[in-house]
Amino acid sequence: MSALLTATCAVPAAGAVVTAALPAGTSESRRRTAKTAALAFSAVTLALAGAVAVRFDPDGARYQLTESYSWIRSFGISFSLGVDGIGAVLALLTAVLVPVVLLASWHDADPAAPAATSATGAAAAAAEGTFENRRRTQGFFALVLAVEAMVIVSFYATDVFVFYVFFEAMLIPMYFLIGGFGDRAGGPESDRQRSYAAVKFLLYNLLGGLVMLAAVIGLYVIAQDQGLATFDLQALTGAVADGRLQFSGPAEKALFLGFFFAFAVKAPLWPLHTWLPNAMGEATAGTAVLITAVVDKVGTFAMLRFCLGLFPEASKTFGPAILVLSVIGIIYGALLAIGQKDIKRLVAYASISHFGFIIMGIFALTSQGQSGATLYMVNHGISTAAWMLVAGFLISRRGSRLIADYGGVQKVAPVLAGTFLIGGLATLSLPGLAPFVSEFLVLVGTFTRYPAVGIVATLGIVLAALYALLLYQRTMTGPVKEGVSGITDLKARELAVVAPLVALTVLLGVYPKPLTDLVNPSVNATLSQVHQTDPAPAHPVADHGNGQDGAARSGGEHK
């Protein structure tokens, strides 16, 4: 039994403990030690996650590199890990983004400079020496690594109870990252707004988790009554597939809704989305990337693995209603993004629109839709990370999140403006950039089964062009506004952050095959679990060699 998956999860967890335990202090050398240690652990995690993706065989078993360690034997709970193509890709995305976030946030957790008041030097020194300031840097970087460890466990977990534990546990470090290390450009009300955003994030997701807990218990009770006293996902989905585990209609629907509600809050899906703009707006740019590009992906991933795998009939029953909510989210998020005055809240509402596309692709129940949805999770994570982090660099220079405070940035910081434009163009799914491939597949996959839904969803593309290009026009073009002339261009560290994201956006836009090869077998397995195949073409290609035989075959396909 290989321990590669356990090692991939354990390294960032160990890094969080080591970073938090490093000697406290406000000196630059001690802060640099904590930062370097965290970055080193994240780099090792990236290497391990890459090894998992490389070792995964698309032609092999669905779950590979499996490990299982008994935990609570009396309830059939074990710490079981296994990776499919979708989990391997999303864990690799997480491992790629965390070092980028750490580099981008290099100075975000430095102690705040003392305010320019009449306070004595002794008082200022005392403020710098408080426990909060002495532990601030270590705390921030340790929390980021803790989130990484919990997210990767969620992608690898093949025990329903283990998944639930880490699905909920990741809320704790995220709460402290939002509430304790918020954006310093928020103005005098920033502390209060940060606290509000952190509490709202926690309450929404805790509510979803409590509903899911009831569903997890219900699943165990029903399975136990039928001789399956286990939380093992492979055993449960296998029993559902061959009829050894059967639910009554109302029971399956109730359990599906319990799981789906928690995932829809995390994703987030309209109308359960309202915590996201507050959290992303008040968090640092790096934390905002963790929220939307890493943590939220656990929700959409879980819809594929748990909702469709465990409750196939309920997934088909509720699918059309979920598609309607997804389309509303696509249009609603894009419209509100157009009207935003705050840069970070605009990116947040754009993400709500993108998550609508992802969930629409999942519940279209076609191979193109689900492959596109999985690629969308990856491509959205990369492109939104680039867009948000460059926006964070801009905001840190100007000290304001308001769009109206910018103008003419491309004249004083052309590289910053150029990378910001690439992030915006990727967000609107420009052909040649990674999100275009995934959005195209989602729309094609949806249209083949639900044409009306696919047609309405295309409006989101038009609206995305509006909010992305209008944001660039208002901030980067025109005369240089007062306060903008002093903005400097990207530095070496910031270029090291943005360059790999831009490169991946272009590379996956022109050559997505490595990702599709990994995820397609898992997508096909998921569709077989819900007993769905792709719809036959409405107008099949005629067989010119034998018209009668071709027509007969076409008729047979429709039957």
Side-chain angles (χ1 to χ4, degrees):
M1 180 173 63
S2 170
L4 181 57
L5 298 186
T6 298
T8 309
C9 302
V11 167
V17 173
V18 170
T19 303
L22 287 173
T26 59
S27 68
E28 175 61 29
S29 62
R30 289 191 173 182
R31 294 202 304 271
R32 189 185 302 112
T33 299
K35 297 171 184 177
T36 304
L39 187 61
F41 276 102
S42 70
V44 174
T45 305
L46 173 58
L48 292 171
V52 170
V54 169
R55 289 188 59 181
F56 182 82
D57 180 8
D59 297 322
R62 178 171 184 182
Y63 293 102
Q64 301 176 26
L65 305 174
T66 54
E67 307 172 34
S68 185
Y69 309 94
S70 181
W71 185 12
I72 309 176
R73 194 183 303 273
S74 58
F75 288 99
I77 299 173
S78 60
F79 187 79
S80 298
L81 304 177
V83 63
D84 64 357
I86 299 172
V89 166
L90 292 178
L92 182 59
L93 169 69
T94 302
V96 167
L97 289 181
V98 167
V100 170
V101 166
L102 292 177
L103 269 177
S105 307
W106 204 250
H107 297 298
D108 286 354
D110 290 348
T117 67
S118 58
T120 63
E128 285 188 5
T130 61
F131 179 81
E132 178 185 0
N133 274 340
R134 287 187 293 111
R135 302 298 318 180
R136 184 177 176 87
T137 301
Q138 289 90 332
F140 178 86
F141 284 84
L143 289 170
V144 172
L145 290 176
V147 170
E148 179 181 27
M150 294 173 185
V151 169
I152 291 177
V153 172
S154 299
F155 289 139
Y156 290 163
T158 56
D159 184 283
V160 177
F161 187 81
V162 170
F163 172 84
Y164 171 77
V165 169
F166 286 92
F167 180 82
E168 287 294 278
M170 69 180 71
L171 301 180
I172 299 171
M174 286 307 308
Y175 169 79
F176 288 108
L177 285 171
I178 297 168
F181 301 91
D183 190 350
R184 294 174 180 173
E189 293 293 316
S190 60
D191 288 344
R192 185 177 64 83
Q193 292 296 332
R194 269 204 311 274
S195 297
Y196 172 78
V199 170
K200 189 173 183 179
F201 162 82
L202 188 64
L203 290 179
Y204 267 66
N205 284 276
L206 278 179
L207 174 61
L210 289 174
V211 174
M212 181 182 170
L213 177 60
V216 169
I217 294 171
L219 173 65
Y220 178 79
V221 170
I222 293 174
Q224 186 183 41
D225 289 343
Q226 300 182 40
L228 285 167
T230 182
F231 285 96
D232 183 80
L233 179 64
Q234 296 183 73
L236 292 171
T237 54
V240 169
D242 61 24
R244 289 181 293 114
L245 177 57
Q246 297 181 350
F247 305 98
S248 66
E252 181 174 0
K253 292 175 183 176
L255 293 177
F256 170 87
L257 290 175
F259 277 79
F260 179 78
F261 181 80
F263 304 151
V265 172
K266 183 87 80 179
L269 174 66
W270 183 93
L272 304 172
H273 66 283
T274 59
W275 62 267
L276 183 65
N278 297 100
M280 289 183 64
E282 299 304 324
T284 64
T287 301
V289 169
L290 279 183
I291 295 170
T292 190
V294 175
V295 171
D296 289 353
K297 298 302 188 299
V298 178
T300 48
F301 162 80
M303 291 178 188
L304 278 166
R305 175 168 284 188
F306 295 95
C307 289
L308 272 60
L310 291 171
F311 316 111
E313 296 305 316
S315 298
K316 290 186 283 188
T317 299
F318 290 107
I322 295 170
L323 289 175
V324 171
L325 296 180
S326 300
V327 172
I328 293 174
I330 291 169
I331 306 303
Y332 171 89
L335 287 174
L336 265 67
I338 292 171
Q340 289 305 302
K341 299 178 181 179
D342 182 311
I343 296 174
K344 292 170 74 175
R345 288 177 71 89
L346 186 153
V347 178
Y349 279 109
S351 290
I352 292 169
S353 181
H354 292 311
F355 276 104
F357 279 108
I358 294 171
I359 297 171
M360 184 178 75
I362 292 171
F363 284 92
L365 300 180
T366 61
S367 60
Q368 300 100 323
Q370 291 192 354
S371 293
T374 304
L375 289 179
Y376 215 133
M377 295 183 217
V378 176
N379 296 335
H380 168 264
I382 295 169
S383 62
T384 300
W387 207 26
M388 174 59 84
L389 292 177
V390 176
F393 296 150
L394 178 65
I395 292 167
S396 67
R397 286 160 164 75
R398 178 68 175 83
S400 173
R401 303 200 307 252
L402 297 178
I403 296 172
D405 289 340
Y406 295 90
V409 174
Q410 66 181 11
K411 296 178 181 177
V412 296
V415 176
L416 187 154
T419 53
F420 192 73
L421 176 62
I422 293 173
L425 293 176
T427 297
L428 63 83
S429 298
L430 183 76
L433 300 180
F436 170 77
V437 178
S438 44
E439 196 163 285
F440 178 79
L441 285 173
V442 166
L443 288 170
V444 169
T446 303
F447 184 84
T448 57
R449 194 178 296 278
Y450 301 99
V453 174
I455 291 170
V456 176
T458 56
L459 180 59
I461 301 175
V462 179
L463 297 176
L466 280 175
Y467 64 68
L469 296 178
L470 285 175
L471 176 62
Y472 183 83
Q473 180 190 44
R474 292 167 179 170
T475 56
M476 302 294 163
T477 65
V480 178
K481 284 197 173 183
E482 182 181 357
V484 171
S485 58
I487 289 178
T488 57
D489 216 335
L490 295 182
K491 300 174 182 177
R493 173 181 59 84
E494 295 164 334
L495 286 171
V497 168
V498 177
L501 299 177
V502 172
L504 284 172
T505 299
V506 175
L507 176 64
L508 295 177
V510 297
Y511 190 65
K513 187 175 183 297
L515 292 187
T516 56
D517 286 347
L518 281 175
V519 304
N520 282 343
S522 297
V523 166
N524 293 332
T526 301
L527 286 176
S528 68
Q529 288 177 321
V530 293
H531 311 295
Q532 289 281 27
T533 58
D534 290 331
H539 301 286
V541 177
D543 186 339
H544 296 290
N546 190 332
Q548 291 181 344
D549 289 345
R553 283 194 295 272
S554 299
E557 288 175 5
H558 286 290
K559 293 178 185 177

